[in-house]
Amino acid sequence: MKLKDFYYDLPDELIAQDPLLKRSDSRLMVLNRENGDIEHKHFHDITNYLSPGDCLVINDTKVLPARLIGEKEGTGASIEVLLLKRHDDKVWETLVKPGKKARPGAKISFGNGKLIGEVLDVVEEGNRLIRFDYEGIFEEVLDELGQMPLPPYITHKLEDKNRYQTVYAKHTGSAAAPTAGLHFTEELLKKVEDMGVKIARVTLHVGLGTFRPVKVENVLEHHMHSEFYVIDEEAADIINQTKKNGGKIISVGTTSTRTLETAADDEGNIRACSGWTDIFIYPGYKFKIVDRLITNFHLPESTLLMLVSALYDREKVLNAYEIAVKEKYRFFSFGDAMIIL
């Protein structure tokens, strides 16, 4: 399986730079695996493709405003720090630009000294371990000083931080949003529940690796980054009961999908659990839990596009992407959505 097998041509102007005024006004491409039909709808039409007794699985992770711009003490040089992984109360693994200005012992001031970071060590892939000193609660300081770590293909400034959060975001820890969920409003979720569809909440903290390109030509040689996930008893019970009763499991996003498929046993049952997953889903994979998928349009040659191609035929997925380009759908994080039935 070659990397080029997942390439498609995308004009830059179709990369969505800003979220729509109303989340559920995004367009929705509907792919029907049974008859091959493609429909063009809007996201608020999603209820037409759900049935009483189904289960919608959402990822309730919350994005950290993890991008900090500071000054190196002594020189005043500008340094950008991106928080990646918390090691303890005050120590984080970070990505620093420019790295050459952040050698062990260097101190960086953020917000005129409200937050001070000291570089402790250089670790794997050139990442820096930084210890932060501050007064009060770290999350509150970060909320004041930090910016949303938007993907590199988004060049516009985000005016409202909440637009890079789902309306059901709860557990802080992601370096990126689970973007398929950005289309839901609270009103639409209530409409889904009122029609008899169960909602199961799982958590997967999206890592920065979600933006890292696949660099090997043989896809099977690619090593996935690890991400932390949690499935509690309530979510596991809802999902297992839905399967037992013959309902469909509709996964919102690739992150929910990876969480479910990691936690599932060979019989298709989910257990309450937590841990790290580096599951890599590509064509040939046999899904154990997920019946349908709601997802955005993903980057060419990405592991996310490979996951979608595992659920449906690769050529048909790429054909749908070509149609989306012709129909001028909006792509990537702030873009439009598809549902695979």
Side-chain angles (χ1 to χ4, degrees), residues 54-320:
D54 287 347
C55 173
L56 194 71
V57 182
I58 59 178
N59 179 7
D60 65 5
T61 188
K62 192 172 185 179
V63 185
L64 277 168
R67 183 170 174 257
L68 292 160
I69 308 296
E71 293 182 351
K72 184 178 180 181
E73 290 192 352
T75 68
S78 179
I79 295 181
E80 178 179 329
V81 173
L82 188 64
L83 305 180
L84 299 179
K85 186 187 297 183
R86 195 172 204 158
H87 283 232
D88 62 36
D89 278 352
K90 292 193 172 185
V91 177
W92 284 77
E93 184 175 335
T94 68
L95 181 66
V96 178
K97 295 179 185 178
K100 63 184 179 182
K101 296 185 184 298
R103 296 188 173 94
K107 289 191 174 182
I108 310 165
S109 173
F110 307 93
N112 295 318
K114 286 185 178 178
L115 182 66
I116 302 290
E118 181 181 356
V119 181
L120 302 180
D121 199 4
V122 181
V123 293
E124 189 179 356
E125 296 184 345
N127 293 344
R128 266 63 174 171
L129 285 185
I130 295 182
R131 183 180 63 237
F132 291 98
D133 288 305
Y134 50 89
E135 289 186 5
I137 299 170
F138 182 73
E139 284 75 15
E140 292 180 359
V141 175
L142 191 62
D143 197 48
E144 179 186 347
L145 301 179
Q147 301 173 25
M148 282 299 182
L150 294 178
Y153 47 76
I154 293 178
T155 58
H156 290 191
K157 187 174 187 288
L158 182 62
E159 298 301 328
D160 178 4
K161 282 183 183 179
N162 287 327
R163 288 312 305 270
Y164 196 56
Q165 302 278 20
T166 62
V167 296
Y168 46 77
K170 183 177 181 182
H171 301 290
T172 303
S174 270
T179 55
L182 293 178
H183 305 283
F184 282 99
T185 62
E186 290 176 355
E187 294 79 10
L188 184 55
L189 280 172
K190 185 177 187 307
K191 188 176 179 182
V192 168
E193 285 190 292
D194 288 347
M195 62 183 285
V197 175
K198 296 288 187 182
I199 295 180
R201 291 163 169 82
V202 302
T203 306
L204 181 137
H205 293 319
V206 187
L208 195 67
T210 194
F211 300 129
R212 287 194 177 129
V214 178
K215 294 181 178 178
V216 291
E217 184 52 41
N218 181 357
V219 167
L220 305 186
E221 294 174 1
H222 176 68
H223 179 67
M224 287 288 286
H225 55 286
S226 293
E227 295 170 319
F228 185 74
Y229 73 93
V230 179
I231 298 179
D232 63 18
E233 291 279 0
E234 181 182 4
D237 289 347
I238 291 171
I239 293 163
N240 290 333
Q241 198 62 44
T242 300
K243 296 290 275 189
K244 183 179 176 182
N245 294 340
K248 301 288 187 188
I249 303 297
I250 300 101
S251 180
V252 179
T254 57
T255 60
S256 298
T257 301
R258 293 178 69 240
T259 303
L260 293 173
E261 294 299 315
T262 294
D265 62 23
D266 290 337
E267 281 72 47
N269 296 309
I270 287 281
R271 68 192 189 286
C273 58
S274 65
W276 293 85
T277 179
D278 61 358
I279 189 171
F280 182 17
I281 298 176
Y282 52 83
Y285 179 84
K286 301 299 182 188
F287 286 84
K288 295 175 280 190
I289 291 288
V290 174
D291 298 307
R292 295 177 175 179
L293 173 65
I294 297 169
T295 188
N296 278 21
F297 292 90
H298 303 294
L299 276 75
E301 300 183 335
S302 64
T303 58
L304 307 179
L305 181 54
M306 293 170 196
L307 183 152
V308 174
S309 299
L311 188 64
Y312 194 23
D313 180 85
R314 178 187 65 86
E315 291 185 359
K316 290 178 180 175
V317 168
L318 289 175
N319 176 61

Side-chain angles (χ1 to χ4, degrees), residues 8 21 46-47 136 182 247 273 307:
Y8 68 93
L21 198 58
I46 198 77
T47 50
L182 293 178
C273 58
L307 183 152

